[in-house]
Amino acid sequence: MADKPSIPKGTRDFNPLEMARRNFIFDTIRKIFKTYGYLPIETPAMENLSSLMGKYGEEGDKLLFKILNSGDFKAKLDAETLHETPAGRLGVLIAEKGLRYDLTVPFARFVVQHRNDIAFPFKRYQIQPVWRADRPQRGRYREFYQCDVDVIGSHSLLNEFELMQIMDEVFTALGLKVVIKLNNRKVLAGIVEVIGEPDRMIDITVAIDKLDKIGMEKVLAELDQKGLSKQSVEKLKPVLEMEGTTSTKLTFLSGYLNQSEIGMEGLMEVDKLFGFLKDHPVDAAVEFDLTLARGLNYYTGTIFEVKSDEVQIGSICGGGRYDNLTGIFGLEGVSGVGVSFGADRIYDVLLQLERFPQEREMDTQLLFVNFGENEANYILSILRRLRSGGIASELYPDPVKMKKQMAYANNRKIPFVALVGEQEMQDGVITLKEMETGNQERLTPAELVERLSNNIS
RNA sequence: GUGGAUGUAGCUCAGCUGGUUAGAGUACUGGAUUGUGGUUCCAGAUGUCGCCGGUUCGAACCCGGUCAUCCACCCCA
């Protein structure tokens, strides 16, 4: 056999069953976005590389898919640059476009570019694929869909709360038990300020994150190795040892952070969100989680992450507040907040839990057996009536053996088969067979339409 | 980017410390049943055993390389 065709690593085909299931997820999410007043936009698959580079940290830049310039992409390069430039850097010299890495940065670009046509606060949703040159793994793809909702142009914490309600409503509608984790960058900034290491936020949050994996001693050793002073580590220790419920944690931190203005501000925000929750509870569990740092470096306030309570897979939804994302595109002082649902991981979770609803509304309801040219021609006008009545129906294209046509209906799980042969044509009726029971009845075309319309509703 | 595992029929997998013609289930095709599917029975087709090389009288099996896939770390949706 010749080499089988294949698709690039980390990408997938979707068959009709998978599409029905994916659309169930997209439809559920879209419907909820709309009821909260968000409007749809789309942006191109590719952006100028300059819009993408530097927005996701050093790691992110490496994971960008770059698109080779068309035409003679090395025309402007002299031999020396071509040789001397390290491979990693050569990319930007021969590629000026790249595939989008997420939907938030293109959205920021969109807002800046169309600022005069947008009424702020602008609430939009966007459901499109994104691409990352990551190494594929369980729950990690190189092409996957994000479903983003963002509000831009408002500082109000009501937006954060609204997003929490949306997250809750979506996962409830999908029938999934989840935990919404909540943190605030300002609280993290406050902690590093208090211990006197304001520039070491990343090292410290990574250390906090590893706490339950490798234990206190190893975390302390690692911090020491990273060059944190003993004094700072000592000061950090109470935070690492912090335990208990959200409210005891918040009480502890309000004492701990009281010398840090930014820390207290963050704490107040977290407190306010939990206040909203108290008055308007949601189904999902909501946890204050200091270990949540999130890699995307544009977040400045609240950070969200949603994890499945039932299946172990990375986060299935995440997001946060970014105060100055549009600043990098030249529009200062516009604050935004948003979250992104990972449709592909949600799919994996639903699949594993077998929670997909058994839905087959739009599938073919009725198949006409093809007995030959005359019969087929006669059936075409009946089909037209059925279809204009909203009944999905089809005629088997070839006049092959009946057994084969029945087997086709069976495989497609088409619930009804109609037989119209010479006999029926003469009598002006249709023999309708219900596949599941095997029952057959003779109906006029009008009765047929009525019978099947009732069956659908 | 670092580490580990696995590649045999369309799919899921057997294949004995290396032995001659590589199997099962399922799916597929035809028939039992020429206007009736899902069950049953009968028959049939299907493989460079991922690829390249080495060891051997002999390799799906052992060794080396390579590619692909999966898993963990990292990062995240």
Side-chain angles (χ1 to χ4, degrees):
Chain A
M1 201 194 295
D3 278 349
K4 278 185 216 161
S6 63
I7 53 175
K9 190 191 289 200
T11 64
R12 295 152 300 156
D13 288 326
F14 302 111
N15 65 31
L17 175 66
E18 290 164 328
M19 281 310 294
R21 291 172 164 175
R22 288 172 66 82
N23 285 334
F24 163 69
I25 296 172
F26 292 131
D27 293 345
T28 304
I29 290 175
R30 186 180 295 113
K31 198 173 135 202
I32 293 169
F33 287 174
K34 282 185 182 172
T35 63
Y36 280 82
Y38 290 79
L39 301 171
I41 71 161
E42 287 201 0
T43 62
M46 56 187 140
E47 292 277 342
N48 292 329
L49 211 45
S50 58
S51 299
L52 266 18
M53 295 288 286
K55 310 299 191 293
Y56 309 105
E58 220 172 294
E59 283 294 310
D61 282 355
K62 280 190 212 154
L63 299 180
L64 285 170
F65 277 108
K66 300 173 187 71
I67 298 172
L68 193 61
N69 291 343
S70 20
D72 188 358
F73 58 83
K74 64 180 177 64
K76 288 180 193 158
L77 297 177
D78 51 68
E80 196 187 341
T81 353
L82 201 59
H83 259 94
E84 302 294 314
T85 314
R89 295 234 161 163
L90 201 58
V92 292
L93 297 177
I94 59 176
E96 50 194 29
K97 298 179 289 295
L99 293 176
R100 69 165 103 79
Y101 180 89
D102 71 357
L103 300 178
T104 308
V105 168
F107 174 51
R109 193 225 80 224
F110 178 97
V111 168
V112 174
Q113 209 174 317
H114 302 281
R115 64 182 115 173
N116 294 328
D117 309 317
I118 293 172
F120 292 99
F122 181 42
K123 302 171 76 168
R124 75 88 230 228
Y125 73 86
Q126 187 172 354
I127 299 177
Q128 289 192 274
V130 303
W131 294 269
R132 296 183 187 178
D134 227 335
R135 193 148 159 180
Q137 219 177 98
R138 174 185 159 80
R140 188 156 88 182
Y141 307 102
R142 289 185 146 188
E143 178 184 60
F144 61 96
Y145 271 74
Q146 291 195 326
C147 312
D148 271 37
V149 248
D150 290 76
V151 191
I152 200 158
S154 163
H155 287 91
S156 169
L157 278 173
L158 278 173
N159 298 309
E160 268 91 337
F161 181 62
E162 180 168 285
L163 291 171
M164 290 174 75
Q165 290 180 305
I166 290 175
M167 289 189 270
D168 180 59
E169 207 167 309
V170 165
F171 290 112
T172 302
L174 293 172
L176 291 177
K177 277 185 73 179
V178 297
V179 182
I180 300 175
K181 296 186 172 189
L182 186 71
N183 194 9
N184 195 301
R185 271 278 164 94
K186 291 175 189 167
V187 172
L188 296 174
I191 292 171
V192 293
E193 193 176 294
V194 165
I195 67 170
E197 301 275 358
D199 301 329
R200 308 300 295 273
M201 188 152 117
I202 292 171
D203 287 337
I204 290 164
T205 51
V206 166
I208 298 174
D209 185 33
K210 282 187 181 168
L211 198 58
D212 47 347
K213 282 183 197 160
I214 63 174
M216 177 73 79
E217 268 178 47
K218 284 189 181 169
V219 166
L220 293 179
E222 202 175 301
L223 286 172
D224 186 55
Q225 206 187 353
K226 289 233 166 102
L228 247 70
S229 73
K230 286 223 161 65
Q231 226 177 356
S232 304
V233 174
E234 256 336 282
K235 280 190 189 159
L236 182 65
K237 233 173 149 182
V239 176
L240 297 175
E241 284 165 346
M242 184 175 72
E243 276 177 2
T245 64
T246 295
S247 70
T248 57
K249 283 182 192 168
L250 292 178
T251 311
F252 165 79
L253 285 172
S254 66
Y256 184 84
L257 290 173
N258 98 34
Q259 292 306 309
S260 160
E261 197 182 322
I262 190 159
M264 290 307 282
E265 198 182 311
L267 211 54
M268 192 204 69
E269 291 181 8
V270 174
D271 207 50
K272 218 167 166 181
L273 284 180
F274 277 100
F276 282 132
L277 277 174
K278 208 173 163 189
D279 297 336
H280 311 279
V282 298
D283 290 342
V286 181
E287 269 175 21
F288 173 61
D289 185 352
L290 257 193
T291 70
L292 229 191
R294 302 200 53 80
L296 298 179
N297 52 13
Y298 48 67
Y299 292 120
T300 50
T302 307
I303 310 170
F304 296 114
E305 190 165 293
V306 179
K307 290 202 132 189
S308 165
D309 222 6
E310 301 158 289
V311 173
Q312 212 174 12
I313 195 163
S315 54
I316 53 180
C317 178
R321 165 75 65 176
Y322 41 90
D323 272 331
N324 199 24
L325 190 59
T326 57
I328 41 184
F329 295 113
L331 181 62
E332 300 286 340
V334 179
S335 183
V337 58
V339 295
S340 176
F341 292 81
D344 301 80
R345 284 187 180 171
I346 292 172
Y347 179 96
D348 291 342
V349 171
L350 284 171
L351 188 70
Q352 191 174 330
L353 295 171
E354 296 176 359
R355 297 269 172 82
F356 280 109
Q358 200 79 2
E359 59 154 358
R360 32 181 313 91
E361 290 160 28
M362 285 312 290
D363 285 2
T364 297
Q365 287 290 306
L366 175 64
L367 174 79
F368 281 88
V369 172
N370 189 332
F371 286 106
E373 219 170 291
N374 287 339
E375 290 88 342
N377 198 39
Y378 177 81
I379 285 164
L380 285 177
S381 52
I382 305 176
L383 274 172
R384 194 167 158 185
R385 276 179 81 165
L386 286 162
R387 287 169 181 158
S388 64
I391 296 159
S393 41
E394 57 185 290
L395 164 67
Y396 196 90
D398 306 293
V400 295
K401 277 185 190 159
M402 197 153 161
K403 179 180 167 137
K404 194 162 181 179
Q405 302 193 40
M406 295 299 283
Y408 170 80
N410 210 44
N411 283 335
R412 285 274 312 268
K413 298 192 172 89
I414 297 172
F416 294 96
V417 169
L419 303 159
V420 184
E422 262 177 56
Q423 195 71 52
E424 283 88 352
M425 277 169 73
Q426 237 169 52
D427 300 347
V429 296
I430 288 133
T431 299
L432 180 72
K433 179 185 170 93
E434 190 177 353
M435 290 298 274
E436 201 179 321
T437 58
N439 291 342
Q440 289 187 203
E441 49 192 320
R442 282 158 68 89
L443 302 169
T444 65
E447 287 170 335
L448 179 70
V449 173
E450 198 186 336
R451 171 83 167 77
L452 290 179
S453 312
N454 291 341
N455 192 265
I456 288 170
S457 57

